[in-house]
């Protein structure tokens, strides 16, 4: 199904049947019963997105505790220096895991994912899992595989998501979400399905493109689509969609993208400021309430993206934007298995060199947009 709980500063939602699936209220099992809620989830993912503390203090990102039907406690802490600690105490059984990451920037966004699934090997613990830290602004993923993992209870998920009085969330936490699937980590699609992409013969919606379709690129002319990937995520935090408005950025119509979608921006201002013909600017840095605005109201959002032979830039409604960057993912069995491309034949995946375009920093993007507006 997918996302069953999403909670941020504005909304507190829980739906055991999944938030983006139509459910017939009259159908048997359409509403989760008390017995269904009071059971462990066989598989799932808990996601928390937060900024690091600016003063380097330890942060309790999430804490939850109950006494009935047996003592239970869940805590997720971020420690100074780049440490992350997850503890789940269920009665006398205590699950503990830690992960270290490189905290280069105290204003950095961390997307933390804890996933678990039943162990089907027939030996060992009942569940295995994964704890991951993604840094969307740096394309960085740090993961530890867990040979033993503790599943969450549906009722606990409901309480954490919908009752702020019974949980503790750090003020820097952007959102808390739970899926009943093992969610992927790694390269993330960033275009909504109706973004027009220039293909052979004219524009086509990004969501309609498939392997073998030919698309126009900024660097290599017409190239084939090797694969299209899609993902549905909570429409909040660093996933909250951004509307880029025409005629800014060379657009012939408005498009909606993820904050991490990078635009290829060129022109005299770019050459003067950076000494390059073009640079990469993430959509998040363009939000100013005029040419780019963040959208609200949706619970989830679905993104799509194209994998091209050389990580070329496609033309989205007149504006060149990055295709999905894979790097050498196919050479890394662990990260590949944790990604959206887990089921793909790695022999069929390309290897991408780093982009020739410079990705500019937030303050540089602001300066560039001010120069363009002058």
């Amino acid at each position: 199904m997918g996302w069953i709980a999403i909670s941020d500063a504005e909304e507190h939602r829980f739906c055991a049947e999944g938030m983006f699936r139509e459910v017939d209220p009259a159908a048997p099992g359409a509403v989760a019963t008390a017995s269904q809620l009071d059971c462990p989830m066989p598989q799932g993912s808990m996601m928390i997105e937060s900024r690091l503390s600016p003063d380097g203090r330890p942060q309790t990102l999430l804490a939850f505790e109950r006494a009935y039907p047996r003592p239970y406690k869940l805590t997720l802490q971020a420690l100074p220096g780049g440490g992350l600690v997850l503890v789940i105490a269920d009665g006398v059984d205590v699950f503990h895991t830690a992960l270290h990451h490189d905290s280069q920037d105290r204003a950095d966004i961390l997307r933390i994912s804890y996933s678990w699934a039943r162990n089907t090997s027939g030996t060992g613990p009942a569940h295995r899992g994964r704890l991951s830290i993604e840094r969307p602004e740096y394309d960085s993923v740090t993961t530890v595989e867990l040979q033993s993992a503790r599943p969450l209870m549906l009722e606990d998920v409901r309480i954490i998501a919908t009752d702020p009085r019974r949980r503790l969330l750090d003020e820097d936490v952007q959102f808390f979400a739970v899926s009943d699937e093992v969610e992927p980590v790694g390269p993330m699609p960033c275009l909504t399905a109706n973004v027009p992409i220039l293909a052979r013969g004219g524009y086509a919606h990004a969501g309609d493109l498939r392997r073998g379709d030919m698309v126009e690129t900024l660097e290599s002319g017409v190239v084939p689509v090797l694969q299209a990937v899609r993902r549905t995520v909570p429409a909040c935090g660093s996933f909250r969609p951004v509307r880029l408005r025409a005629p800014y950025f060379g657009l012939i119509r408005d498009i909606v993208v993820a904050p991490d979608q990078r635009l290829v921006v060129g022109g005299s201002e770019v050459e003067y400021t950076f000494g390059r013909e073009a640079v990469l600017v993430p959509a998040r840095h363009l939000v100013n309430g005029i040419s780019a605005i963040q959208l609200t109201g949706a619970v989830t959002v679905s993104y799509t993206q194209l994998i091209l032979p050389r990580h070329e830039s496609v033309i989205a409604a007149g504006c060149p934007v990055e295709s999905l960057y894979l790097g050498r993912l196919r050479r890394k069995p662990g990260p590949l298995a944790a990604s959206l491309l887990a089921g793909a034949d790695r022999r069929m995946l390309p290897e991408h060199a780093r982009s020739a375009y410079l990705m500019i920093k937030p303050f540089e993007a602001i300066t560039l947009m001010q120069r363009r507006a002058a």
Side-chain angles (χ1 to χ4, degrees):
M1 289 185 292
W3 299 99
I4 61 172
I6 299 175
S7 182
D8 61 12
E10 301 171 357
E11 300 284 348
H12 310 290
R13 298 175 181 264
F14 173 82
C15 179
E17 290 76 36
M19 293 189 184
F20 54 91
R21 186 171 72 94
E22 293 295 330
V23 177
D24 179 1
V31 178
T33 64
S35 61
Q36 290 172 320
L37 288 173
D38 190 23
C39 63
M41 298 171 62
Q43 66 177 22
S45 299
M46 176 182 72
M47 179 182 289
I48 289 179
E49 189 171 280
S50 179
R51 289 194 178 274
L52 295 172
S53 169
D55 55 9
R57 61 178 172 82
Q59 291 172 274
T60 299
L61 302 178
L62 170 65
F64 170 73
E65 189 170 359
R66 60 169 161 80
Y68 179 83
R70 60 187 178 276
Y72 178 91
K73 186 175 183 180
L74 182 153
T75 60
L76 179 66
Q77 281 194 311
L79 305 178
L84 186 72
V85 178
L86 173 67
V87 178
I88 303 176
D90 190 356
V92 297
D93 187 9
V94 179
F95 167 78
H96 173 280
T97 187
L99 179 60
H100 183 269
H101 65 96
D102 183 13
S103 57
Q104 297 178 4
D105 186 349
R106 302 310 298 179
D108 191 12
I109 296 174
L110 296 185
R111 187 185 301 145
I112 302 158
S113 300
Y114 167 62
S115 300
W116 67 93
R118 281 177 175 161
N119 181 5
T120 58
S121 68
T123 60
H127 292 82
R128 293 182 177 175
R130 180 177 71 227
L131 182 63
S132 302
I133 297 175
E134 297 177 270
R135 300 169 68 204
E137 295 172 330
Y138 295 90
D139 289 337
S140 169
V141 183
T142 306
T143 298
V144 59
E145 297 292 334
L146 308 173
Q147 296 305 308
S148 175
R150 174 68 58 179
L152 299 187
M153 304 282 287
L154 263 178
E155 175 64 3
D156 293 338
V157 171
R158 183 191 68 80
I159 293 171
I160 294 172
T162 62
D163 192 347
R165 299 168 300 175
R166 296 186 59 183
R167 72 180 188 204
L168 185 153
L169 275 181
D170 190 90
E171 61 183 8
D172 288 325
V173 171
Q174 307 294 303
F175 71 86
F176 161 87
V178 173
S179 168
D180 61 5
E181 298 178 357
V182 176
E183 294 291 331
V185 295
M188 163 75 184
C190 293
L191 301 173
T192 51
N194 63 353
V195 170
I197 301 296
L198 186 58
R200 178 181 284 173
Y203 279 100
H205 287 156
D208 294 335
L209 293 170
R210 300 290 186 272
R211 177 179 173 83
D213 289 337
M214 306 298 289
V215 295
E216 292 279 354
T217 66
L218 185 64
E219 301 86 359
S220 306
V222 179
V223 303
V225 174
L226 300 184
Q227 194 162 336
V229 294
R230 293 165 181 81
R231 186 184 181 190
T232 298
V233 291
C236 45
S238 67
F239 291 130
R240 189 180 299 279
V242 174
R243 179 182 295 278
L244 301 176
R245 302 178 64 191
Y248 303 100
F249 318 115
L251 290 167
I252 57 176
R253 55 160 284 187
D254 292 4
I255 62 173
V256 178
V257 301
D260 292 319
Q261 177 62 61
R262 295 166 184 164
L263 285 63
V264 181
V265 178
S268 58
E269 303 91 346
V270 171
E271 292 191 36
Y272 176 78
T273 307
F274 302 103
R276 295 170 179 255
E277 290 186 3
V279 294
L280 293 175
V281 186
R284 70 169 71 247
H285 300 332
L286 301 173
V287 174
N288 59 6
I290 301 173
S291 58
I293 58 175
Q294 281 199 310
L295 302 182
T296 59
V299 180
T300 60
V301 58
S302 295
Y303 291 118
T304 187
Q305 190 56 281
L306 308 176
I307 298 174
L308 303 182
R310 291 184 169 181
H311 181 223
E312 292 91 345
S313 305
V314 295
I315 311 302
C319 175
V321 301
E322 262 197 323
S323 60
L324 192 67
Y325 174 73
L326 298 185
R328 294 188 171 186
L329 183 64
R330 73 172 188 172
R331 298 193 183 192
K332 304 172 183 177
L336 178 61
S339 75
L340 274 172
L341 297 163
D345 183 347
R346 62 181 183 176
R347 295 171 300 178
M348 302 296 291
L349 296 176
E351 290 190 13
H352 290 154
R354 269 293 175 187
S355 174
Y357 304 115
L358 171 70
M359 188 173 76
I360 62 178
K361 297 179 173 61
F363 72 90
E364 293 173 328
I366 294 172
T367 301
L368 176 60
M369 292 303 108
Q370 287 176 341
R371 283 184 178 276
R372 293 199 139 197

